Amino acid sequence: MRASFLFSEVTTGLRRNLTMTIAMVLTTAISLALFGAGLLVVQMAGKTERIFLDRVEVQVFLTEDISSLDPECEQDLCSALRSDLEGTDDVVSVQYLSRDDAVADATERVFADQPELAELVSADSFPASFKIKMSDPDRFATIQDDFGTRPGVDSVLNQQDLVERLFGVLGGIRNGAFAIATIQAIAAVLLIANMVQIAAFTRRTEVGIMRLVGATRWYTQLPFLLEAVIAAIVGAALAIGGLFVAKSMFVDDMLTEVYDANIVARITDSDILLVSPFLVLVGVGMAALTSYVTLRLYVRE
């Protein structure tokens, strides 16, 4: 009897305030979808960081005299640099690239798909260098500090700086999604509060009669809370469905080239499934808490 009463009341309330219910569902869906997008960017950044840190290198560029006069790195200055680099803590490997090696690397790898640019590459375009792989990416700065001013060293390129810039871009996208999601969440909270107040007002006579015959305050207010929770669940389902659709129809196509080049990690269906329970919990929690507070503050029956 009680279950059928609650079902009837919830159904009646959702149908009676249909336009406001739809508005709340859509606002909640947009808010949760943006929140989910932010969580997906966080996951992407974490997986991308692992990809890059596994292949990030420090490159020590040598001066013109070494590049021109010591192509095999056999003279004292170059060989001493190599020996000291190999003896540095956390250095896994040191690879020497002569000018000819650098030209071959540029034409065969960097400009492999741009033959018109590869033809412009000459031996004078690149200095000789050491490519250094380290076991601890956080130790890259020690190469700059210890070798940046050494004789024979022209400059030190730390690829981790480039990685941090990429993560800065991903962080900006994540923060933007969270900021818009917060604004939408505020709108959803206000809509939930208004919906609960209007629903309670339109059924104030029924609630009053129920209170007179002994129904508890909690029992009379439960249908209003369930209405908001059901609307939030529908909104969460739409948000999750929207993320799957956006991934398959837009994100995958837009990021195909960077995915194939292994520049950023893929967003997979599993990633969306992983964040889905959080979206449902946030939506339900937001709706239940807002409804409860609204009923306590504004509904006195």
Side-chain angles (χ1 to χ4, degrees), residues 177-301:
F178 283 157
I180 299 174
T182 300
I183 296 172
Q184 291 289 335
I186 294 172
V189 166
L190 294 176
L191 276 173
I192 293 170
N194 286 335
M195 188 185 84
V196 170
Q197 289 184 65
I198 292 173
F201 179 79
T202 55
R203 282 179 278 172
R204 64 190 184 280
T205 302
E206 301 169 28
V207 171
I209 294 173
M210 291 176 63
R211 292 284 285 150
L212 289 174
V213 297
T216 64
R217 183 179 182 183
W218 169 250
Y219 186 69
T220 58
Q221 293 181 352
L222 184 58
F224 306 123
L225 190 148
L226 291 177
E227 290 172 21
V229 168
I230 291 172
I233 292 174
V234 175
L238 289 177
I240 295 168
L243 290 176
F244 278 110
V245 171
K247 173 193 170 297
S248 61
M249 296 186 64
F250 303 106
V251 176
D252 286 346
D253 291 340
M254 186 172 60
L255 298 181
T256 296
E257 293 185 0
V258 292
Y259 282 165
D260 293 341
N262 207 22
I263 295 175
V264 297
R266 290 180 180 272
I267 295 176
T268 65
D269 290 342
S270 297
D271 293 329
I272 299 177
L273 290 175
L274 185 63
V275 304
S276 296
F278 294 100
L279 301 187
V280 176
L281 289 175
V282 169
V284 170
M286 180 175 64
L289 182 61
T290 302
S291 300
Y292 179 79
V293 172
T294 301
L295 290 167
R296 289 295 174 181
L297 291 179
Y298 299 106
V299 180
R300 300 298 182 182
E301 292 293 343

Side-chain angles (χ1 to χ4, degrees), residues 1-180:
M1 179 67 178
R2 291 187 175 184
S4 61
F5 168 77
L6 286 175
F7 177 79
S8 174
E9 286 294 297
V10 170
T11 303
T12 300
L14 292 173
R15 187 173 61 249
R16 185 178 297 174
N17 302 304
L18 184 60
T19 56
M20 183 166 289
T21 300
I22 293 174
M24 194 194 83
V25 167
L26 294 178
T27 304
T28 302
I30 294 172
S31 175
L32 293 176
L34 289 169
F35 178 63
L39 294 179
L40 291 175
V41 171
V42 171
Q43 287 186 315
M44 175 194 284
K47 292 191 290 186
T48 301
E49 182 177 16
R50 290 193 292 272
I51 291 174
F52 272 87
L53 291 182
D54 285 341
R55 65 191 188 193
V56 159
E57 298 171 324
V58 178
Q59 194 159 7
V60 177
F61 294 102
L62 305 178
T63 54
E64 177 66 24
D65 55 337
I66 295 179
S67 301
S68 302
L69 304 176
D70 190 12
E72 302 300 326
C73 194
E74 296 174 339
Q75 297 181 15
D76 291 344
L77 185 57
C78 185
S79 61
L81 281 171
R82 170 184 261 172
S83 178
D84 290 344
L85 285 169
E86 290 174 341
T88 301
D89 292 341
D90 298 312
V91 170
V92 176
S93 64
V94 177
Q95 178 188 6
Y96 175 73
L97 293 179
S98 65
R99 273 184 160 166
D100 291 339
D101 294 332
V103 170
D105 182 67
T107 54
E108 295 172 7
R109 183 176 61 85
V110 180
F111 300 131
D113 298 327
Q114 299 172 297
E116 66 282 359
L117 295 179
E119 292 177 357
L120 301 176
V121 176
S122 66
D124 295 333
S125 302
F126 302 96
S129 65
F130 291 111
K131 280 189 174 182
I132 304 156
K133 184 75 173 177
M134 303 189 71
S135 60
D136 184 1
D138 294 330
R139 296 273 295 171
F140 286 150
T142 61
I143 301 297
Q144 174 71 53
D145 296 338
D146 296 344
F147 293 90
T149 57
R150 285 276 297 267
V153 175
D154 182 65
S155 62
V156 177
L157 174 64
N158 182 357
Q159 294 179 352
Q160 191 176 22
D161 294 338
L162 302 177
V163 175
E164 290 175 352
R165 292 178 187 176
L166 173 63
F167 293 153
V169 173
L170 294 176
I173 296 173
R174 175 203 61 205
N175 293 339
F178 283 157
I180 299 174

